[in-house]
């Protein structure tokens, strides 16, 4: 049976997924309220400073796991903040599990979206444009990275849905 922390987390990530699907945005008020709720619930259920460190370690782990993807412009800031909120609820180790599973789910979503939109050739061209300089560099040829032209993206995915699904799976598996 789910405890209060897990039940509230599932409600929050479900709301984030619905909002991300509908508006392609995850509201900051949802993230901030989730962070505060996680802190309060951990403080009510723990001993002294242990819940605070668990909350802080989890939120930092969640944040820094997806920060590189944001810096590479592969993910929106709302997705990174959502992962930090999830980490605040579940702690650092479970945040790692959620992030790994969300990456797999997000990759599958991206492939399905590419196939159904008919832009898989554009996606393959973009991938080869990005990876070609890395390959040449690995072979010892010094080259500059070639940026994609503006508008070359084949579309974004609602990654909040992937994070929500991964969170639900990790929480469910914890009760197995």
């Amino acid at each position: 049976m789910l405890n209060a922390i897990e039940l509230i987390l599932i409600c929050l990530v479900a709301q984030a997924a619905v909002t991300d699907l509908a508006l392609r945005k995850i509201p900051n008020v949802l993230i901030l309220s989730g962070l505060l709720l996680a802190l309060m619930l951990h403080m009510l259920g723990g001993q002294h400073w242990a819940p605070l460190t668990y909350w802080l370690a989890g939120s930092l782990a969640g944040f820094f796991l997806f920060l590189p993807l944001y810096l590479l412009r592969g993910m929106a800031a709302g997705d990174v903040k959502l992962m930090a909120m999830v980490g605040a609820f579940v702690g650092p180790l479970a945040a790692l599990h959620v992030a790994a599973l969300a990456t797999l789910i997000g990759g599958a979503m991206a492939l399905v979206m590419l196939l159904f939109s008919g832009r898989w050739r554009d996606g393959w061209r973009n991938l080869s444009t990005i990876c070609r300089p890395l390959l040449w560099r690995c072979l010892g040829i010094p080259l500059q990275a070639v940026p994609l032209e503006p508008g070359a993206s084949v579309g974004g995915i609602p990654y909040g849905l992937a994070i929500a699904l991964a969170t639900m799976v990790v929480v469910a598996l914890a009760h197995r």
Side-chain angles (χ1 to χ4, degrees):
M1 186 164 153
L2 297 176
N3 60 30
I5 291 178
E6 294 166 338
L7 187 61
I8 291 172
L9 173 62
I10 288 174
C11 290
L12 288 170
V13 295
Q15 178 61 44
V18 168
T19 307
D20 199 15
L21 281 170
L23 304 174
R24 302 306 289 256
K25 191 173 181 174
I26 300 172
N28 285 334
V29 68
L30 180 71
I31 304 298
L32 183 59
S33 61
L35 285 168
L36 292 174
L37 275 169
L39 179 60
M40 289 189 308
L41 289 170
H42 282 307
M43 294 299 278
L44 289 173
Q47 309 148 332
H48 301 293
W49 290 102
L52 180 63
T53 56
Y54 186 77
W55 174 84
L56 184 62
S59 59
L60 288 175
F63 180 78
F64 284 112
L65 282 169
F66 279 174
L67 183 64
L69 293 172
Y70 168 73
L71 294 175
L72 293 171
R73 296 185 307 158
M75 180 177 283
D79 301 322
V80 177
K81 293 182 279 186
L82 178 63
M83 191 60 220
M85 183 196 76
V86 169
F89 275 93
V90 299
L93 182 60
L96 180 63
H97 294 148
V98 170
L101 188 56
T103 302
L104 293 174
I105 293 170
M109 285 173 47
L111 289 175
V112 167
M113 289 176 72
L114 274 177
L115 290 174
F116 280 112
S117 70
R119 300 195 64 193
W120 63 273
R121 284 190 178 123
D122 295 334
W124 184 255
R125 180 183 30 104
N126 286 352
L127 184 63
S128 67
T129 302
I130 292 170
C131 292
R132 192 177 305 120
L134 295 174
L135 176 65
W136 291 120
R137 182 71 180 144
C138 288
L139 295 173
I141 302 170
L143 295 174
Q144 293 292 329
V146 179
L148 292 175
E149 307 97 32
S153 174
V154 293
I157 62 169
Y159 219 83
L161 177 62
I163 294 171
L165 291 173
T167 301
M168 291 177 195
V169 168
V170 168
V171 166
L173 288 177
H175 291 282
R176 193 170 49 104

